[in-house]
Amino acid sequence: MFGIEKLFTRKDPIKDQIKTHLQHYRSAIFPMGIDTQWIAEITGGKAQGAGWQVSLTLPFAASGQGAVLTSHMSDSLNTDIRVTCHTEVVGTNQFKQIKHIVLVASGKGGVGKSTTAVNLAAGLASQGAQVGILDADIYGPSIPSLLGLTGQQPEALDEKTLKPFEKDGIRAMSIGFLVAEDDATVWRGPMASQALTQLLNETAWGELDYLIVDMPPGTGDIQLTMTQKVPASGAIVVTTPQDLALADAQKGIAMFNKVNLPIIGLIENMSYFTCQHCDGKNAIFGSEGGAKLAARHGVPLLAEIPLDTGIRENSEQGANITTQALAIKDHYIYCAQLMSSMLYLQSQSTQGVEILITDD
């Protein structure tokens, strides 16, 4: 059971060494090492004629780190050790049965924000988390297309509740499911904000570890609605290395700072293009823009995602990129692991703080 270290019947020095090495292991995903309370079981050894098996139950979505830890532990202790990780996200429900709400935003359109939001959600799901995605772009919803659900209509559970679609383990809701694909949503700001609030409140999300919200570009009414009336855990800002995109991303960061919403980090999309002939990196839109902006504001740069035809092809087909045999998927999976780890550490440091949400 999570939170309780397994007691062993006899003392074994190798087991103690394994625990010690796990405690002292450091990486971006495990900046404070691995708590011994996360060790669910250690079995094997010469007595059983087999290598050591270490089972970890992590309080954040990073089950794929088992392979990394297996390599590290085997090399460190010069013995056969296999580490497996399971996910059991720790956290109190901040909204209904949702533990974390994460806003994915950008200052301007065209930087790949929606694609990044969907692939980040897929990355979290691949790591064992229960994930949902809400399309907050009322005027230009992209989630139905990116999930391959264009033209679908949601099922009404009752007069006030909609059942979310589920695709590849991701629960999704969008105004795009309720409005014809070739129609335009011509609404004033307050009406659009009200529609978004209804989508959030009247969807039967069920139990979720993370709800990813694909925000519209800009800093208008919908952004204020989501930051002031929804208990979000934090925001991720997506940009490209271009000066124009960085200037708009700066405005997005300023908006979140004004409403006191923590910025989890930046994602630099279209960071570079890798030549298929010489493997050289070509900075088509400039270089290090995201890193400099992140450093200026003291926030992490979560990922530098290259231009890759695999992203476009899977997005157009509504396919889950994390299930494909593509190297590009590792960027999204690692980003998801890092974000999840940071949210866990953030929640641990803010325990005991009461958050009050009013209608003011």
Side-chain angles (χ1 to χ4, degrees):
M1 185 175 181
F2 178 76
I4 301 177
E5 184 178 1
K6 186 177 179 66
L7 299 177
F8 304 102
T9 56
R10 65 183 182 84
K11 192 171 181 65
D12 193 312
I14 297 296
K15 289 180 179 178
D16 290 338
Q17 289 180 42
I18 289 173
K19 294 178 188 178
T20 299
H21 275 74
L22 288 171
Q23 284 181 289
H24 288 86
Y25 177 76
R26 295 291 186 274
S27 72
I29 309 296
F30 302 101
M32 301 177 68
I34 295 173
D35 196 315
T36 55
Q37 290 187 345
W38 303 349
I39 302 174
E41 189 175 40
I42 301 178
T43 59
K46 292 182 179 179
Q48 299 182 25
W52 291 96
Q53 306 289 321
V54 182
S55 177
L56 301 177
T57 303
L58 301 179
F60 48 86
S63 59
Q65 283 290 302
V68 178
L69 292 170
T70 292
S71 177
H72 170 78
M73 295 295 290
S74 296
D75 292 343
S76 297
L77 295 177
N78 194 28
T79 188
D80 182 17
I81 298 177
R82 182 171 181 269
V83 182
T84 57
C85 298
H86 307 279
T87 294
E88 237 178 74
V89 175
V90 171
T92 56
N93 296 335
Q94 296 296 312
F95 180 82
K96 295 186 176 180
Q97 294 176 286
I98 303 171
K99 294 174 184 175
H100 293 287
I101 297 177
V102 177
L103 311 184
V104 179
S106 66
K108 69 186 297 294
V111 298
K113 169 185 53 60
S114 297
T115 302
T116 300
V118 167
N119 291 336
L120 182 60
L124 288 166
S126 75
Q127 298 302 293
Q130 297 293 319
V131 186
I133 186 164
L134 172 65
D135 193 344
D137 195 344
I138 300 297
Y139 301 110
S142 301
I143 299 304
S145 176
L146 290 167
L147 290 178
L149 296 171
T150 302
Q152 302 293 317
Q153 293 185 338
E155 175 186 344
L157 297 178
D158 54 45
E159 292 183 358
K160 288 189 176 181
T161 310
L162 293 174
K163 180 180 178 181
F165 286 97
E166 186 157 344
K167 176 78 178 294
D168 298 320
I170 302 171
R171 298 170 202 166
M173 184 51 67
S174 168
I175 194 69
F177 295 133
L178 304 171
V179 177
E181 183 182 6
D182 56 355
D183 200 0
T185 308
V186 187
W187 293 343
R188 294 187 183 276
M191 189 174 177
S193 297
Q194 182 181 359
L196 174 60
T197 302
Q198 286 182 294
L199 284 178
L200 176 64
N201 290 315
E202 298 177 9
T203 298
W205 296 108
E207 294 184 10
L208 291 179
D209 296 318
Y210 305 95
L211 177 65
I212 303 299
V213 181
D214 178 27
M215 301 286 285
T219 56
D221 289 340
I222 289 178
Q223 284 80 0
L224 287 175
T225 297
M226 291 301 296
T227 55
Q228 292 181 342
K229 295 189 176 182
V230 176
S233 297
I236 290 176
V237 176
V238 180
T239 185
T240 65
Q242 289 176 277
D243 289 342
L244 181 60
L246 292 167
D248 289 326
Q250 163 67 48
K251 295 175 182 176
I253 293 173
M255 177 195 69
F256 289 125
N257 286 336
K258 286 183 178 180
V259 296
N260 296 318
L261 182 67
I263 297 173
I264 301 169
L266 268 65
I267 294 177
E268 185 181 83
N269 201 26
M270 310 180 200
S271 187
Y272 56 88
F273 173 75
T274 302
C275 177
Q276 296 176 346
H277 303 288
C278 66
D279 289 332
K281 290 184 178 181
N282 299 280
I284 297 174
F285 298 117
S287 61
E288 300 184 355
K292 292 176 181 177
L293 184 62
R296 186 189 314 160
H297 291 277
V299 298
L301 181 63
L302 300 176
E304 293 175 308
I305 300 175
L307 278 165
D308 191 285
T309 55
I311 299 175
R312 177 189 60 80
E313 291 171 352
N314 281 273
S315 297
E316 290 180 349
Q317 296 167 11
N320 184 344
I321 198 170
T322 64
T323 63
Q324 310 301 313
L326 297 170
I328 190 66
K329 69 180 181 182
D330 294 336
H331 290 271
Y332 295 110
I333 291 173
Y334 182 79
C335 184
Q337 293 174 344
L338 185 55
M339 183 202 78
S340 183
S341 171
M342 292 174 63
L343 285 175
Y344 167 73
L345 293 173
Q346 174 184 300
S347 68
Q348 293 300 104
S349 65
T350 57
Q351 279 188 351
V353 177
E354 183 180 5
I355 300 175
L356 299 178
I357 306 208
T358 68
D359 293 329
D360 295 337

